[in-house]
Amino acid sequence: MSASPSSSAQAAREAIAARLGGLRKDAELTGHELALRCGWSPAKSSRIERAKTPASAADIRAWCKACGAEDQTDDLIAANRQADQMYVHWQKLHRHGMRRAQEEVVPLYEQTRHFRVYCSNVVPGMLQTEAYAAALLSTIAAFQGTPDDSQTAAASRIERSRVLHDGNHRFALLLEETVLRYRIGDAAAMAGQLGYLLAVMALPNVSLGVIPFTAQRLVWPLEAFYLFDGRQASVELLTAAVNVTAPSEVATYAKAFSELSKLAVYGAPARALISDAITSLG
């Protein structure tokens, strides 16, 4: 895997910084002269050009105007916005609650034909029951210190998951056995969630594999990630959501999914692991 899942975002920011630096050089301005024209400190110009400080839309407008390159403004702002969307802190995404975050990805879910999902910590959102989702989202809100709208957010998550029952979508899902054992919510919520996994396995467009504790690891447990066709990978970190679109990095996650899938069991063996987890709830 790459050294950091946020490398695509950083690379995009560095590319924007390089373009801004090129505009300054083309205008034959020093960093000090640019700063004077923009009305800020030379240190700010240096930080932006070295990709140490992300440029805001206002910064880009001022920079382009100072360099006599106003025709580049819209393109650079659009590229900068895309870079910002690659690495989004959860606290920023959830600052008004989590319901909106569930709804914002609906178009992506509807457009995707082939989902490949790997989870090592919790049940994937598209397979969650409402009780499990509400319990999980409530703990996330408490940890992040963001508004707790877990009940309405859970309902939106269930609505978003309707793509499971649309024959135009295919799902390949991999869970570590730990996911079956981690207690999210009370025993009733966990039993309902595990029972739902058994039901989902019967859907013709769903392949659900479980990687047993006893699997000989050829790939170590990874952070949860979602592959949307072959064009995007969304990676879930503790502090942020990383949206990877660079073809080489998407291919790396696809390779990881392929290798992890070889460790999983399917069909009756997978159902047995899920059933054992239900029995352990007592």
Side-chain angles (χ1 to χ4, degrees), residues 2 22-23 40 95 102-103 118 127-128 139 150 164 185 206-207 212 220 226 230 232 240 244:
S2 31
L23 292 179
W40 59 49
R95 64 189 181 278
Q102 311 305 309
E103 296 171 347
Y118 165 80
L127 297 185
Q128 290 175 11
T139 61
S150 53
L164 267 177
V206 173
S207 168
W220 59 100
Y226 291 65
Q232 177 177 327
V244 175

Side-chain angles (χ1 to χ4, degrees), residues 180-242:
L180 309 179
R181 302 286 180 167
Y182 290 147
R183 299 289 183 95
I184 305 296
D186 57 23
M190 277 303 302
Q193 176 62 77
L194 294 171
Y196 182 63
L197 292 182
L198 291 173
V200 166
M201 291 178 71
L203 295 176
N205 59 328
V206 173
S207 168
L208 176 61
V210 178
I211 301 175
F213 290 132
T214 55
Q216 181 64 47
R217 302 302 304 215
L218 302 176
V219 180
W220 59 100
L222 303 173
E223 65 277 359
F225 63 86
Y226 291 65
L227 280 161
F228 300 95
D229 293 323
R231 65 180 185 276
Q232 177 177 327
S234 293
V235 188
E236 296 183 345
L237 307 182
L238 175 63
T239 57
V242 181

Side-chain angles (χ1 to χ4, degrees), residues 31-55:
H32 183 74
E33 289 169 338
L34 176 77
L36 287 176
R37 292 191 181 188
C38 292
W40 59 49
S41 71
K44 177 174 178 177
S45 297
S46 177
R47 289 196 303 270
I48 290 175
E49 195 165 324
R50 290 183 294 119
K52 298 299 182 183
T53 298

Side-chain angles (χ1 to χ4, degrees), residues 11 49 66 116 130 145 155 207 238 250 256 263:
E49 195 165 324
R116 284 168 289 175
E130 191 163 347
S207 168
L238 175 63
V250 173
L263 307 178

